Amino acid sequence: DAKTTQPPSMDCAEGRAANLPCNHSTISGNEYVYWYRQIHSQGPQYIIHGLKNNETNEMASLIITEDRKSSTLILPHATLRDTAVYYCIVRVGDNYGQNFVFGPGTRLSVLP
Amino acid sequence: GAGVSQSPRYKVTKRGQDVALRCDPISGHVSLYWYRQALGQGPEFLTYFNYEAQQDKSGLPNDRFSAERPEGSISTLTIQRTEQRDSAMYRCASSLFSGASYEQYFGPGTRLTVT
């Protein structure tokens, strides 16, 4: 799998948008970008994923650059409960199901 | 609906004992994955199944680790002759189908402590 680079930590004020960057400069054309988060010792929670187009769901938006070498996860109105480690993962697309390779992620702290 | 469940949630065992960790995936999910997570790190892949077939076991650290999913639903991860270095959180995930476009849903994990 292509590797990703994320800042180790970020702060965000409560109520503001949190923008979490991810670099994946070696991504291939059939690799998806996934975002998960992990709160304390809970299991990783799926947030969103995309291939080429920007995506939005009830949790977040995913903005993928045109060259696909980087992406940004946007939490539009961060709350204290969004404090977590956020993982950006790229995953090869084929029919045989690939595991996720988790890096160290970004520790987001939402401050009151 | 019910998510992925795992049991036991906590397991303390003595070095040299065998342990069996259970995963109950989301109903109807074809693919089931096992991961191991050390404190402060992201999950690390161990093995995965499509239905009852073990598709990839490249992440299993050694032959003391094995997994099965005999009826294509519940899965068991077995660690024989446990060692202290096996202490970790063991996580199970499932997805509707295999393939990169299908997200995985994780269970709460089993925290294994080998004394």
Side-chain angles (χ1 to χ4, degrees):
Chain A
D1 289 353
K3 294 187 177 181
T4 62
T5 304
Q6 300 178 252
S9 64
M10 292 181 62
D11 292 339
C12 176
E14 186 179 19
R16 304 295 294 270
N19 297 283
L20 291 89
C22 180
N23 286 321
H24 30 80
S25 58
T26 60
I27 194 170
S28 298
N30 64 347
E31 289 183 318
Y32 287 77
V33 179
Y34 273 80
W35 284 85
Y36 278 77
R37 72 180 183 183
Q38 194 164 23
I39 300 172
H40 298 301
S41 62
Q42 297 177 22
Q45 178 188 22
Y46 167 76
I47 301 174
I48 198 166
H49 73 285
L51 183 61
K52 296 179 180 179
N53 300 321
N54 298 337
E55 302 288 340
T56 296
N57 62 21
E58 65 278 4
M59 289 184 66
S61 294
L62 173 61
I63 308 298
I64 302 174
T65 58
E66 190 170 346
D67 64 6
R68 303 186 71 241
K69 294 183 183 300
S70 66
S71 60
T72 301
L73 178 74
I74 301 173
L75 307 178
H77 305 286
T79 71
L80 299 179
R81 289 177 296 179
D82 292 322
T83 292
V85 177
Y86 286 76
Y87 297 100
C88 170
I89 305 161
V90 294
R91 191 183 188 207
V92 63
D94 61 31
N95 292 324
Y96 295 98
Q98 298 291 322
N99 54 286
F100 287 114
V101 179
F102 288 81
T106 295
R107 182 171 297 279
L108 175 69
S109 298
V110 180
L111 307 175
Chain B
V4 178
S5 61
Q6 293 184 246
S7 62
R9 293 292 306 277
Y10 302 90
K11 178 68 176 179
V12 180
T13 190
K14 293 185 176 180
R15 182 168 53 92
Q17 297 293 308
D18 298 349
V19 295
L21 312 180
R22 172 182 165 135
C23 172
D24 200 339
I26 294 173
S27 178
H29 277 196
V30 167
S31 301
L32 185 149
Y33 301 78
W34 283 98
Y35 293 81
R36 179 170 67 174
Q37 187 170 19
L39 200 61
Q41 298 182 20
E44 176 188 26
F45 170 76
L46 296 176
T47 186
Y48 93 93
F49 294 82
N50 280 340
Y51 298 103
E52 72 282 359
Q54 191 169 19
Q55 299 288 345
D56 183 353
K57 54 182 181 179
S58 62
L60 296 177
N62 51 60
D63 60 7
R64 294 186 298 106
F65 287 72
S66 63
E68 63 175 7
R69 193 186 185 199
E71 298 181 358
S73 178
I74 294 169
S75 177
T76 302
L77 177 70
T78 301
I79 309 173
Q80 296 179 312
R81 306 180 302 280
T82 54
E83 301 177 4
Q84 286 188 325
R85 60 177 172 161
D86 300 332
S87 296
M89 179 73 82
Y90 288 82
R91 299 201 187 271
C92 174
S94 71
S95 62
L96 184 59
F97 294 106
S98 61
S101 62
Y102 294 96
E103 62 271 22
Q104 296 178 16
Y105 296 93
F106 284 78
T110 295
R111 179 163 297 284
L112 175 65
T113 303
V114 182
T115 62

